[in-house]
Amino acid sequence: MQKPTHWIEHQNQHSTHKLAVLHQGGQTPGLFWLGGFMSNMCGGKAIAMAALAQELGLASTRFDYAAHGQSSGDFRDQTISSWLADAVAVYQRFADGPQILVGSSMGAWIALLLNQYLLEHGHPPAKALVLIAPGVDFTKRLLPQRFAPEDFAKLDRDGELRRESRYGDGPYIYTKKLVEDGNANSLLDAPLKTGAPVHIIHGGEDPDVPLSHAQEIYRHFLHDDARFTLVPDGDHRLSRPEDLALLQSIIRSFASE
């Protein structure tokens, strides 16, 4: 695992912690990585993005949300809003000039929320958004398909649910706080308007985010140049060599525009 180049002491809505950041300087547009739930900034897709940035001489920024990877913090304290606050803090510190936001799974949701934050605060939108296996609104749209009524009863009673990961990276913890906050940050109750081109990449064999969900997200982009690439035999992680080559090709096309 790569050691952070920078640490940010940050206080979000729920905790004070140190955020681990990997930043390499370069030209614009910069590439800005937003990882998934329980993932970290040293996964295959994040490394592929950083490698492409280095090849093209572009700046790149990766970081771990609070309680992810090398960042400190208690996972049970965190929510979508607090991880968005982490993303905003890193963006404000390291994103100099136009940025291509690259979000994977939950990170696609955070990427859209970050872009929304920029627009609401008078900043230019992202140059482009690349959304990989997008888990947008997963607390509201996906968890009800995954959890039985008795699971939600347990969540309400105990304040959390634990589920073993199919990827062998430890149990996933879903807190009542996370679900309620996620539902309050829902984006799919109205059309999406980013002010930037968007490209969704999704695997046809994704067991975690159904293809129908990614297609629904795509249909919400009524005002932007949105594209959708289906990888028919791709899984949720989309980290095979051919998947990473596809990701780099899409980022490269945006960077050259």
Side-chain angles (χ1 to χ4, degrees), residues 98-158:
Q99 302 289 308
I100 298 174
L101 304 184
V102 185
S104 175
S105 194
M106 182 188 78
W109 189 2
I110 303 292
L112 289 169
L113 289 169
L114 173 58
N115 190 70
Q116 183 181 75
Y117 174 92
L118 295 174
L119 292 172
E120 290 175 350
H121 288 78
H123 303 294
K127 177 178 174 61
L129 294 97
V130 180
L131 310 179
I132 310 159
V136 179
D137 290 7
F138 76 84
T139 59
K140 186 174 184 178
R141 303 288 181 122
L142 301 182
L143 293 188
Q145 302 174 26
R146 196 171 301 169
F147 294 164
E150 54 268 29
D151 293 323
F152 280 103
K154 177 177 173 56
L155 180 66
D156 189 58
R157 182 182 67 251
D158 300 341

Side-chain angles (χ1 to χ4, degrees), residues 63-119:
F63 73 101
D64 288 329
Y65 309 113
H68 284 67
Q70 298 175 72
S71 293
S72 64
D74 186 334
F75 194 88
R76 291 173 179 82
D77 289 337
Q78 308 306 319
T79 63
I80 298 299
S81 291
S82 65
W83 290 326
L84 170 61
D86 292 342
V88 169
V90 175
Y91 190 94
Q92 290 176 334
R93 173 81 176 271
F94 294 102
D96 184 15
Q99 302 289 308
I100 298 174
L101 304 184
V102 185
S104 175
S105 194
M106 182 188 78
W109 189 2
I110 303 292
L112 289 169
L113 289 169
L114 173 58
N115 190 70
Q116 183 181 75
Y117 174 92
L118 295 174
L119 292 172

Side-chain angles (χ1 to χ4, degrees), residues 203-221:
E205 301 296 328
D206 188 334
D208 297 310
V209 178
L211 175 59
S212 59
H213 184 68
Q215 291 170 328
E216 180 186 4
I217 296 167
Y218 176 64
R219 289 193 294 269
H220 274 69
F221 291 106

Side-chain angles (χ1 to χ4, degrees), residues 20-23 30-37 39-50 59-65 83 86-87 90-91 95 99-108 110-111 114 130-133 201 237-239 244 247 251:
V21 181
L22 273 165
H23 175 75
L31 308 184
F32 194 91
W33 175 259
L34 295 141
F37 188 71
S39 69
N40 64 71
M41 63 179 173
C42 295
K45 295 185 292 296
I47 290 174
M49 185 202 79
S60 75
T61 305
R62 296 176 274 159
F63 73 101
D64 288 329
Y65 309 113
W83 290 326
D86 292 342
V90 175
Y91 190 94
Q99 302 289 308
I100 298 174
L101 304 184
V102 185
S104 175
S105 194
M106 182 188 78
I110 303 292
L114 173 58
V130 180
L131 310 179
I132 310 159
I201 312 169
R237 291 202 160 180
L238 290 175
S239 292
L244 300 180
L247 172 62
I251 297 173

